[in-house]
Amino acid sequence: MNKDLDMRQMARNIGATINFPAGSVVFNTGDAGNCMYIVQSGMLEMTIGDKVIETVGPNEAIGFMSMVDGSPRSSTARVKDACELTIIDARAFRFMVDEVPNFAM
């Protein structure tokens, strides 16, 4: 994702924002990918098996590849520090791609 673009406010305007406590799981490997998430606050660990492949924080997106290619989740998103995430469904995703220069980058 483009680090120069702050997606958080736009995401709040078009998606529902929910809180996840530390230690919870947002999605698991193999789950259907019918939405993506914009991290408003907190930290998550993206894992495959027991291996952490990426740490994700504010103004980053998770789950976007499933939105692009329609495949199941390729990793598990585990909450490291309590998170506030905004859910972006397929309709909102298309809006962001169409309306926001560089969003798709």
Side-chain angles (χ1 to χ4, degrees):
M1 286 279 157
N2 184 340
K3 301 285 187 197
D4 297 331
L5 176 67
D6 192 330
M7 300 175 286
R8 291 173 290 187
Q9 187 58 48
M10 180 182 13
R12 282 185 191 278
N13 291 337
I14 62 175
T17 299
I18 53 178
N19 292 295
F20 288 88
S24 62
V25 172
V26 179
F27 55 77
N28 286 293
T29 302
D31 287 354
N34 55 1
C35 67
M36 63 177 269
Y37 302 86
I38 303 296
V39 181
Q40 297 288 344
S41 63
M43 297 294 287
L44 298 101
E45 292 179 333
M46 306 306 294
T47 62
I48 296 177
D50 292 331
K51 183 179 181 193
V52 176
I53 56 167
E54 184 178 11
T55 302
V56 182
N59 197 39
E60 293 188 272
I62 61 170
F64 56 88
M65 282 310 298
S66 292
M67 299 293 293
V68 173
D69 63 15
S71 63
R73 304 290 189 195
S74 59
S75 59
T76 295
R78 185 167 284 113
V79 179
K80 183 176 179 181
D81 300 324
C83 283
E84 186 180 42
L85 304 177
T86 302
I87 302 168
I88 304 297
D89 63 16
R91 183 188 57 77
F93 178 75
R94 284 191 300 276
F95 172 82
M96 289 175 86
V97 169
D98 290 344
E99 298 297 322
V100 181
N102 300 323
F103 173 75
M105 301 300 222

